[in-house]
Amino acid sequence: MFRTIRRVKVIASNVFREVFRERALYLLGFYAIALGLAARLLPEVSAGLADRKILPDVGLAGIHILGLVLAIFVGTGLINKEIEKRTVLVLMAKPVSRSEFIVGKHIGLSAVLAVLVAAMTAIYLIVMEMTKISYDMQPTMITIGFMWLLLSLMTAVAIGFGGMMSSLLATLMTVAVYFMGTLSGDLVNLGKLTENLVIEQMTQAFYLILPDFSRLDLKNQAVYSLLPSNEILLQNAGYGVLYIVLVLTISSILFSAREF
């Protein structure tokens, strides 16, 4: 058990150092510049609305989008890069199981996302204070926590696809899962509107299989301070954690069956 934890920790720390140094710092700098420009320009074009809702919405959306960029484009390439360089053969020759390899990669990238999201949140709060825009701290922090959980789930999906197919195809599949998961509730409603039993069953199946990202995306609720009850928040957090474990389990099984 302790040896497994130690091996996973080594893989995760290597991913953290590599990704944070090569990718995360650039995204962090870009966010700081973009949010600063938005704070400067939005009041001139929004007729004062930026002082209430627009800038907070832009700030939270920026954290979400940049986190997705890192999770998807880096996550899908983590394993393929090892395969292309043939370093995966060296790792597999050591006492490292493929499930440990998958979990280590996920923990490492999720840790990068945690630091990146925390740093962008600090920039966001500083800008809100400097522009004297009012915001509720508790809903904002809860939203950020759920945002990281969503990004961690997307990381699991990206790594899972990356372990089974090329980086390009894995990226396309991960993006498709994100959009379908975001719109899964709407797909069910659309299926009901068609009044076609086959389409209704298909959309219901998609809803049951794909993660419902609306449970973890609380940006709009945070801006208007309309978060769900604590009981629903706990249920949604458990839903996200369960999906991460499920995706990593399936990814480990499929990756274990792959031959190099």
Side-chain angles (χ1 to χ4, degrees), residues 154-174:
M154 286 305 305
T155 298
V157 173
I159 291 175
F161 281 127
M164 295 185 291
M165 56 192 70
S166 67
S167 295
L168 177 59
L169 187 56
T171 300
L172 294 176
M173 292 295 293
T174 305

Side-chain angles (χ1 to χ4, degrees), residues 42 143 222:
L42 279 176
T143 297

